[in-house]
Amino acid sequence: PDGGGAAVRVLDPYRDRPVVVRRSTFTGGRCSNGSALSSIGVSWHITRSAFTSNSAVGRGANPARTGTPGGGSGGAIYMDGDDIHLTVMDSTLTGNRAREGGGAIFFVSNDRTGTLTIDGSRLTDNPSEGFETLPGIFFLGASRTITDSVVR
């Protein structure tokens, strides 16, 4: 249920610094969770990047529902852990899909200290077939800030 990262999977970054993604494109990834980027206990800083047509194809979420393998969250980005932070700036997330939660972004801060910041970005047409807190986003953490962006 926690497997993921068709393009990039990070579990232990150098000196616990955020992973930086700049001017990158992630298209057509398919994975249980986080079909572009996936991590546990890791923060990310994403700028001027595009995530298009990525799919979280697992089924049953986490913990996995009885009779399922689990997964299916975070069509483009999957994050789980304590004290995690995600910043998305000047980026687009379009046409990503999750069988469970977060067609574009799945973010769970287990200790509820994590933050989500979206600035100058466009998140459109990212269906979550199971659950979401905002269109295309499942967020559980301390705070979320969305400025100069489209989320629909």
Side-chain angles (χ1 to χ4, degrees):
D2 268 333
V8 180
R9 172 82 161 168
V10 180
L11 298 174
D12 189 16
Y14 180 72
R15 294 188 180 170
D16 291 327
R17 292 181 180 156
V19 176
V20 175
V21 175
R22 287 189 198 118
R23 297 184 315 259
S24 298
T25 301
F26 301 90
T27 303
R30 292 176 54 84
C31 199
S32 181
N33 298 297
S35 295
L37 309 176
S38 176
S39 62
I40 297 177
V42 175
S43 295
W44 296 81
H45 188 90
I46 300 165
T47 58
R48 295 173 39 196
S49 294
F51 299 79
T52 308
S53 300
N54 298 287
S55 297
V57 297
R59 183 172 297 136
N62 186 3
R65 289 189 303 273
T66 302
T68 70
S73 295
I77 300 169
Y78 176 94
M79 297 178 62
D80 186 3
D82 294 331
D83 193 24
I84 54 174
H85 308 278
L86 173 60
T87 300
V88 178
M89 297 180 63
D90 303 320
S91 296
T92 59
L93 289 89
T94 305
N96 303 287
R97 173 178 303 276
R99 282 189 175 164
E100 299 294 341
I105 299 169
F106 177 88
F107 182 107
V108 172
S109 172
N110 297 317
D111 64 358
R112 307 301 189 265
T113 60
T115 60
L116 170 63
T117 302
I118 300 172
D119 184 36
S121 296
R122 186 170 181 84
L123 286 75
T124 58
D125 187 30
N126 298 294
S128 308
E129 294 174 20
F131 50 91
E132 58 188 17
T133 52
L134 293 168
I137 299 171
F138 179 75
F139 175 80
L140 185 57
S143 66
R144 62 182 187 229
T145 304
I146 300 171
T147 54
D148 298 324
S149 297
V150 172
V151 178
R152 63 171 187 221

